Amino acid sequence: MFKVAIIGAGSIAKKMAGTINRMKDFEAYAIASRNLEKAQAFAKQFKFTKAYGSYEEMLQDEAVDLVYIATPHSCHKEQMLLCLKYKKPVLCEKIFTTSSKDSAEVFEQFEKDKVFVSEALWTSFMPSRKILSELLYEKKIIGNITSMDASFKVPLTHKERVIRKDLGGGVLMNIGIYPITFVFRTLGFDYQDFKIDEIKYKNEVDVKEELTFTYKNGVQAHCHVDGTSIISLFVTIYGTKGKIVLDMRSEERRVGKECRSLFS
């Protein structure tokens, strides 16, 4: 059995723990929190073998095969490097770090020591990504792509980690990564131009952003990110022969289940 450990015992960690418990060949082995009682309660609820009141103490456990980091963004770099100290492979909750400089440093250090590290961005690993690629680029079901609209709107301003700048707050860091990554994985990373069409702030963090990426072939991708709106998780890809619409809420309901086509 592959023994998985989690750093942080909040809501994201609970979702991950529930997933681990449904997976074959993976064991919910250890949970670490700065509060031992919280870790013990978490371990009891999700049937983890061990609970620790110290991150480093858990990392010293030789039985740990993989560490999932489920803490606020501002802690990720420090905790990933702590995992590396004990040669533990890491799956880190998005966003990976709060700056490109920190991300580059982490990747460089892990690569140097030949230890696995990855960002846990679930939408990038869904089976539907392969289906979409086949429809767009092999079957060319909608012809040549002309534009894309990616909307990720979720009411989040009541969450402390979103509105606090010191925790890596703001909607771009918390949910903007989803539409932006979707655009890059669909159209590529070699965009020619980028602009912020609109941005709104609250408590010194962004709560709404409208972004546009323009590619050399003229294709434009518009990203709509809003932490004050009602839920809207849609992507529409327009082509010369039609369009593909993805309902990301449908995809979320299929996590851990057989993936079916989400396109219309």
Side-chain angles (χ1 to χ4, degrees):
M1 295 290 284
F2 201 76
K3 292 178 167 55
V4 181
I6 299 178
I7 288 179
S11 59
I12 298 298
K14 291 177 180 179
K15 290 184 179 181
M16 184 62 172
T19 298
I20 295 170
N21 284 330
R22 296 193 300 271
M23 296 175 68
K24 294 181 179 179
D25 302 322
F26 287 82
E27 177 185 338
Y29 177 70
I31 176 68
S33 172
R34 290 173 297 181
N35 184 308
L36 179 57
E37 291 183 356
K38 187 175 182 179
Q40 290 172 333
F42 187 103
K44 182 178 180 181
Q45 180 181 357
F46 294 99
K47 300 178 182 178
F48 275 63
T49 304
K50 293 190 175 183
Y52 292 93
S54 161
Y55 301 148
E56 190 156 12
E57 184 182 358
M58 184 186 76
L59 295 174
Q60 292 170 351
D61 188 332
E62 295 182 358
V64 172
D65 293 314
L66 173 71
V67 178
Y68 176 77
I69 296 177
T71 53
H73 308 151
S74 55
C75 303
H76 290 176
K77 177 188 174 183
E78 177 185 350
Q79 291 167 352
M80 281 191 281
L81 293 179
L82 182 62
C83 290
L84 182 61
K85 176 182 176 181
Y86 294 96
K87 309 299 181 187
K88 300 298 185 184
V90 172
L91 189 60
C92 182
E93 178 58 37
K94 60 84 185 163
I95 58 171
F96 195 69
T97 70
T98 55
S99 74
S100 58
K101 179 182 177 182
D102 286 348
S103 292
E105 180 183 341
V106 170
F107 277 120
E108 181 181 351
Q109 291 298 321
F110 271 80
E111 187 175 65
K112 179 181 178 181
D113 287 5
K114 294 180 169 52
V115 179
F116 173 84
V117 64
S118 178
E119 184 178 46
L121 187 62
W122 66 269
T123 52
S124 294
F125 298 95
M126 295 299 292
S128 58
R129 288 300 317 172
K130 182 179 180 181
I131 298 172
L132 179 62
S133 180
E134 290 175 351
L135 289 173
L136 291 174
Y137 296 108
E138 292 180 25
K139 298 181 180 179
K140 300 200 76 169
I141 195 170
I142 61 169
N144 295 322
I145 298 173
T146 56
S147 65
M148 178 189 297
D149 278 307
S151 176
F152 209 103
K153 301 178 180 180
V154 182
L156 285 174
T157 52
H158 61 288
K159 292 184 177 291
E160 186 179 38
R161 64 178 173 81
V162 176
I163 61 173
R164 280 182 54 179
K165 188 176 182 179
D166 61 315
L167 294 180
V171 293
L172 191 65
M173 293 286 195
N174 282 274
I175 59 175
I177 186 173
Y178 290 117
I180 291 173
T181 301
F182 196 96
V183 166
F184 290 166
R185 288 192 176 275
T186 305
L187 301 178
F189 292 84
D190 56 339
Y191 60 90
Q192 187 176 40
D193 187 43
F194 160 75
K195 67 175 181 177
I196 300 174
D197 301 302
E198 181 184 1
I199 185 168
K200 291 185 178 180
Y201 291 95
K202 181 179 180 180
N203 298 331
E204 297 187 326
V205 299
D206 58 303
V207 294
K208 180 181 179 181
E209 293 204 34
E210 301 284 336
L211 315 170
T212 299
F213 295 90
T214 303
Y215 288 78
K216 292 179 180 180
N217 59 3
V219 173
Q220 287 193 327
H222 306 282
C223 295
H224 315 278
V225 187
D226 195 340
T228 65
S229 175
I230 59 174
I231 296 177
S232 176
L233 311 176
F234 290 91
V235 175
T236 304
I237 305 170
Y238 298 92
T240 54
K241 296 181 180 180
K243 65 181 180 181
I244 289 177
V245 179
L246 298 93
D247 180 351
M248 303 305 289
R249 294 172 301 176
S250 297
E251 178 146 353
E252 186 173 19
R253 289 193 291 269
R254 287 165 171 77
V255 173
K257 300 179 181 179
E258 180 181 358
C259 184
R260 297 189 292 275
S261 174
L262 307 177
F263 313 116
S264 60

